[in-house]
């Protein structure tokens, strides 16, 4: 794949720091638009279950979807939002709305300062995105070891105790 563009484009109030697009064929006159949305768009009828930091609309012109190999989006999140929402910084994700559902994108934490955390997410297309959080799957509790329970014996007083039968080793076969 060819990288057609890498630009430090920090658009005010969007949190987007950089977009890197890899394409399958050469593209020219490509236009990328980054727009911070005040709320979830009306045509997105599925809500995320976790707190949303912000919604972003990424659109393109002069770049067919079939020519896009991958898109890397670097974005930052104010640490105050992470703390206020009780989210671990490792659980922040970029979600893409596609196919009628929110799809969690592979997201990695790049750096952290006292005020912001920077992430990189990889997507295969353009649409509405949400910076949100995911909660790690709860780990099942470790099984606790139970002491063996005694099985009551049903021996009757005066009954003979069975003795194990032994065989000479030359007749013993282990299967």
């Amino acid at each position: 794949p060819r990288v057609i563009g890498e630009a430090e484009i920090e658009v005010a109030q969007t949190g987007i720091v950089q977009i890197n697009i890899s394409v399958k064929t050469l593209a020219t006159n490509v236009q990328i638009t980054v727009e911070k949305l005040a709320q979830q768009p009306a045509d997105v009828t599925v809500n995320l279950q976790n707190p949303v930091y912000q919604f972003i609309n990424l659109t393109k012109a002069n770049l067919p979807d079939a020519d896009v190999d991958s898109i890397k989006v670097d974005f930052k999140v104010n640490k105050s939002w992470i703390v206020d929402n009780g989210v671990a910084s490792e659980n922040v994700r970029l979600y893409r709305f596609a196919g009628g559902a929110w799809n969690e994108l592979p997201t990695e934490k790049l750096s952290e300062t006292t005020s912001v955390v920077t992430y990189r997410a990889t997507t295969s297309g353009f649409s509405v995105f949400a910076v949100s959080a995911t909660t790690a799957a709860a780990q099942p509790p470790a099984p606790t070891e139970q002491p063996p329970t005694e099985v009551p014996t049903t021996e009757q007083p005066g009954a003979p105790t069975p003795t194990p039968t032994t065989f000479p080793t030359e007749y013993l076969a282990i299967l």
Side-chain angles (χ1 to χ4, degrees):
R2 298 182 185 140
V3 176
I4 62 163
E6 182 174 312
E8 305 244 348
I9 59 163
E10 188 165 348
V11 180
Q13 305 292 316
T14 66
I16 301 293
V17 177
Q18 178 175 301
I19 298 175
N20 182 306
I21 305 166
S22 295
V23 295
K24 298 173 186 170
T25 60
L26 182 63
T28 57
N29 298 320
V30 174
Q31 296 175 356
I32 306 298
T33 304
V34 179
E35 175 187 13
K36 179 182 178 184
L37 303 174
Q39 61 190 9
Q40 181 171 297
D43 59 338
V44 175
T45 56
V46 179
N47 294 325
L48 280 165
Q49 299 303 309
N50 296 320
V52 175
Y53 178 66
Q54 66 185 13
F55 292 99
I56 302 166
N57 193 21
L58 294 179
T59 58
K60 44 88 178 153
N62 303 320
L63 181 62
D65 290 337
D67 287 350
V68 175
D69 186 47
S70 71
I71 304 162
K72 292 184 180 173
V73 180
D74 290 6
F75 61 98
K76 62 184 178 179
V77 175
N78 287 330
K79 212 167 189 181
S80 60
W81 179 86
I82 293 170
V83 171
D84 291 348
N85 286 280
V87 173
S89 62
E90 293 77 17
N91 290 344
V92 171
R93 299 286 187 275
L94 188 64
Y95 289 81
R96 178 181 179 220
F97 191 78
W102 286 107
N103 302 284
E104 182 180 325
L105 300 174
T107 306
E108 64 179 307
K109 182 171 140 180
L110 298 177
S111 64
E112 185 170 347
T113 69
T114 56
S115 60
V116 296
V117 183
T118 304
Y119 300 90
R120 174 173 292 150
T122 304
T123 183
S124 59
F126 293 85
S127 67
V128 174
F129 293 84
V131 176
S132 184
T134 186
T135 52
Q139 297 295 323
T144 56
E145 190 173 324
Q146 299 292 327
T149 55
E150 284 193 29
V151 178
T153 60
T154 57
E155 287 183 23
Q156 308 239 341
T161 306
T163 50
T165 307
T166 57
F167 296 98
T169 54
E170 61 262 23
Y171 298 114
L172 184 63
I174 299 176
L175 302 176

